[in-house]
Amino acid sequence: MGWLSRWLDRGNAHEPLLARLEDLPGLGRVRVAYVVDCMGAMCPRPQLLTMKILGQIDEGEVIEVVSDNPAAVESFPSLAETLGCVHLLTTRGDARWQIYLRKGLEMVH
């Protein structure tokens, strides 16, 4: 088993620490099941953390990835399909971005 597989397999399945409805521009109210906190993390850590959480949630659930790393943020839209998800939206706050991803490759309205 490679280091990436071992890293992704460690720990317990996530508990939805956050389950809130979020109004997303152009999408309406979306239930966010989990927030992946990538503040201060450099590539490829944000992508690896996101991959781990996507492996632990159900098809159709939405996660919010929070990052302050422009390179990581720029990679998510093109990386989404590889991660087995759909990039819904990226928004910019004061000192961070929020990236919304839905697990699964079909866009759900």
Side-chain angles (χ1 to χ4, degrees), residues 68-79:
D68 57 355
N69 181 326
V73 171
E74 288 177 12
S75 73
F76 274 102
S78 60
L79 188 62

Side-chain angles (χ1 to χ4, degrees), residues 27 58-62 80-81 83-88 101-109:
L27 297 171
D58 293 328
E59 192 86 6
E61 285 191 296
V62 174
E81 187 175 341
L83 294 174
C85 63
V86 174
H87 172 256
L88 299 175
L101 304 169
R102 182 184 314 273
K103 183 174 181 176
L105 295 177
E106 292 186 26
M107 189 68 157
V108 179
H109 297 287

Side-chain angles (χ1 to χ4, degrees), residues 13-60:
H14 89 286
E15 295 178 19
L17 302 175
L18 173 74
R20 72 171 197 268
L21 289 176
E22 185 74 28
D23 280 319
L24 300 182
L27 297 171
R29 292 181 69 75
V30 173
R31 181 184 177 276
V32 175
Y34 199 87
V35 172
V36 183
D37 183 356
C38 298
M39 294 297 286
M42 302 303 284
C43 292
R45 188 154 169 77
Q47 293 84 351
L48 293 172
L49 289 170
T50 301
M51 214 162 73
K52 180 177 181 181
I53 297 303
L54 286 168
Q56 298 173 353
I57 64 172
D58 293 328
E59 192 86 6

